[in-house]
Amino acid sequence: SAVISQKPSRDICQRGTSLTIQCQVDSQVTMMFWYRQQPGQSLTLIATANQGSEATYESGFVIDKFPISRPNLTFSTLTVSNMSPEDSSIYLCSVARGGAQETQYFGPGTRLLVL
Amino acid sequence: EDQVTQSPEALRLQEGESSSLNCSYTVSGLRGLFWYRQDPGKGPEFLFTLYSAGEEKEKERLKATLTKKESFLHITAPKPEDSATYLCAVQGGNTPLVFGKGTRLSVIA
């Protein structure tokens, strides 16, 4: 398993602003992912954070809206840009030690409310 | 397209009343089926990975089984602390992990 922390744990933001969420792992991991969990919905993968290169985004998610950084093997950030109330959600970081098909372990999540 | 359907959406049990949660899936080339537990305000906690039909795994009062079309999470003699949302996810081919919406379990003392 892995010990994963996220900052902030929750935030309330005004529309039009941006928020950067941090994800820190206690040891080096191969894969880091960012998910969104909207109320009553399943977890949806936003993107895979690649170390040293641009993130790989899933259909419906774009870099301008959700820029991601991964400067090393233990840390990643997700920015939610130009926020609207529809961005209110829980944002989760997950990691896998092996390849993309290994078991993923999740952080505690960041609860975001956009007014 | 990979799909996961979990049933029931919600389940209320008396303490000690055993039951099962269902996860039906369609996937191209199953690489793994995962069960997670999620408590309110927390991230999903990994429970089990199943890789092939016929496989079973157990942990305390939980047992997960897998067929070619579905997985069951059996809960034997549940306690109030087993109350949580249980999530099922599948990994197929080179596709991302696909989650179901979960089953919200309440165990009443």
Side-chain angles (χ1 to χ4, degrees):
Chain A
S1 63
V3 177
I4 306 165
S5 61
Q6 286 186 232
K7 290 181 181 179
S9 58
R10 59 178 64 228
D11 207 342
I12 301 173
C13 301
Q14 297 298 318
R15 70 169 66 215
T17 63
S18 297
L19 176 72
T20 295
I21 303 168
Q22 299 179 4
C23 177
Q24 179 75 53
V25 192
D26 66 335
S27 58
Q28 294 184 349
V29 293
T30 306
M31 309 292 292
M32 295 184 79
F33 307 89
W34 287 99
Y35 286 82
R36 183 172 71 183
Q37 187 176 29
Q38 295 180 307
Q41 302 298 315
S42 48
L43 275 75
T44 303
L45 181 64
I46 297 172
T48 302
N50 301 308
Q51 196 266 329
S53 64
E54 199 169 280
T56 304
Y57 289 83
E58 297 302 311
S59 176
F61 298 97
V62 295
I63 188 171
D64 290 345
K65 176 67 176 178
F66 297 101
I68 288 171
S69 77
R70 190 175 174 195
N72 56 52
L73 294 176
T74 64
F75 185 79
S76 178
T77 67
L78 168 75
T79 299
V80 186
S81 302
N82 187 26
M83 289 184 285
S84 67
E86 292 71 38
D87 294 318
S88 298
S89 185
I90 299 172
Y91 292 87
L92 292 153
C93 167
S94 77
V95 305
R97 295 199 177 281
Q101 294 164 355
E102 295 292 320
T103 297
Q104 293 184 26
Y105 299 92
F106 285 82
T110 295
R111 289 178 171 272
L112 171 61
L113 177 63
V114 184
L115 302 177
Chain B
E1 182 179 333
D2 299 346
Q3 287 190 328
V4 176
T5 303
Q6 291 188 246
S7 61
E9 289 186 14
L11 181 63
R12 186 181 173 99
L13 299 173
Q14 292 294 319
E15 184 173 4
E17 179 186 2
S18 301
S19 188
S20 296
L21 312 182
N22 178 263
C23 171
S24 297
Y25 65 90
T26 55
V27 65
S28 178
L30 180 70
R31 294 298 185 108
L33 184 141
F34 304 84
W35 281 98
Y36 290 85
R37 167 189 172 134
Q38 186 172 27
D39 293 298
K42 296 188 177 181
E45 173 191 347
F46 171 70
L47 293 173
F48 304 109
T49 306
L50 302 168
Y51 293 103
S52 58
E55 189 175 0
E56 298 183 354
K57 288 192 176 174
E58 288 188 64
K59 179 181 179 180
E60 296 181 355
R61 294 177 292 281
L62 301 176
K63 183 169 80 171
T65 62
L66 181 65
T67 72
K68 289 186 177 180
K69 294 183 178 181
E70 57 191 350
S71 177
F72 292 94
L73 184 65
H74 306 279
I75 303 177
T76 302
K79 298 181 177 182
E81 52 262 42
D82 294 321
S83 297
T85 296
Y86 291 85
L87 303 172
C88 172
V90 295
Q91 181 97 65
N94 288 316
T95 56
L97 204 57
V98 175
F99 280 83
K101 292 185 179 181
T103 293
R104 191 170 63 254
L105 175 66
S106 299
V107 182
I108 311 303

